[in-house]
Amino acid sequence: MRAAIALLDGGSRALSYYLGALVLVLAAAMALDLPQPGDVVAWALRVLGVAFLAMLSVLILSALYSWVRLTRRDVPPQQRQAWQEAGLHAANGIATLALTYTLFGISLGIGELAGQELTPATVQEVIRGLTERFSLAFMTTVIGLPTSALLRALLSISGAWVEARADRERGGT
């Protein structure tokens, strides 16, 4: 029963941190007089797509869940190390996802270009399609790589901090 409660507690905390971060990002966008939150969400769905956003969310939640478990005082040192590794792998997964979608978007753009005849009459439409595909490609990188780096830093620094705290509590230096 304790394991189930710990699982639910960690999951609810990770979800709270994730949703809180989303609210803060949208609030910052509004404070900077950027588009309204509904417009930002519509843009993200249109440019990035549901699949990318879903996989990104799962990986972020996995990293945050690992971070929550890592920072709990009642977790033994071996488990803390495992949670830190799991979180770092989830964060690295975000970078891999971003770069995969970048290559995917570029491939779609090149494939679209190769499949069309380029004439003065069609050049406008071809460029519009390329821009759409390349937008997917580069925005996934712009979003994914900094998110991955932020989560890796959070996990690494927290892991070092938790280890130093545990050493102090054991009477070490």
Side-chain angles (χ1 to χ4, degrees), residues 9-172:
D9 177 53
S12 67
R13 284 178 183 232
L15 184 60
S16 295
Y17 289 131
Y18 178 67
L19 294 174
L22 284 177
V23 167
L24 290 175
V25 166
L26 291 174
M30 287 186 66
L32 295 172
D33 204 25
L34 296 175
Q36 294 296 313
D39 296 336
V40 172
V41 171
W43 171 86
L45 289 171
R46 186 182 77 252
V47 172
L48 303 173
V50 174
F52 176 80
L53 292 172
M55 288 185 278
L56 178 66
S57 295
V58 166
L59 288 168
I60 290 172
L61 284 168
S62 298
L64 289 174
Y65 180 79
S66 297
W67 176 71
V68 166
R69 298 293 295 164
L70 168 70
T71 57
R72 288 185 56 100
R73 286 186 179 266
D74 61 339
V75 174
Q78 299 87 352
Q79 286 183 9
R80 277 198 304 264
Q81 184 178 7
W83 284 116
Q84 184 176 12
E85 286 295 321
L88 289 171
H89 280 286
N92 287 334
I94 293 169
T96 301
L97 177 69
L99 293 173
T100 300
Y101 263 78
T102 298
L103 294 173
F104 177 64
I106 291 170
S107 296
L108 288 176
I110 291 171
E112 186 174 301
L113 181 61
Q116 295 183 3
E117 185 176 329
L118 194 58
T119 65
T122 63
V123 74
Q124 200 81 0
E125 193 61 36
V126 170
I127 290 174
R128 186 175 293 119
L130 282 175
T131 304
E132 184 179 312
R133 301 292 186 233
F134 288 167
S135 179
L136 162 74
F138 296 117
M139 287 311 295
T140 57
T141 300
V142 167
I143 291 168
L145 293 183
T147 302
S148 175
L150 180 69
L151 288 169
R152 281 193 307 263
L154 176 70
L155 286 154
S156 295
I157 292 168
S158 295
W161 181 81
V162 167
E163 189 61 36
R165 182 184 67 199
D167 283 347
R168 268 195 322 274
E169 289 173 357
R170 286 191 299 263

Side-chain angles (χ1 to χ4, degrees), residues 1-6:
M1 184 66 172
R2 281 183 49 178
I5 290 173

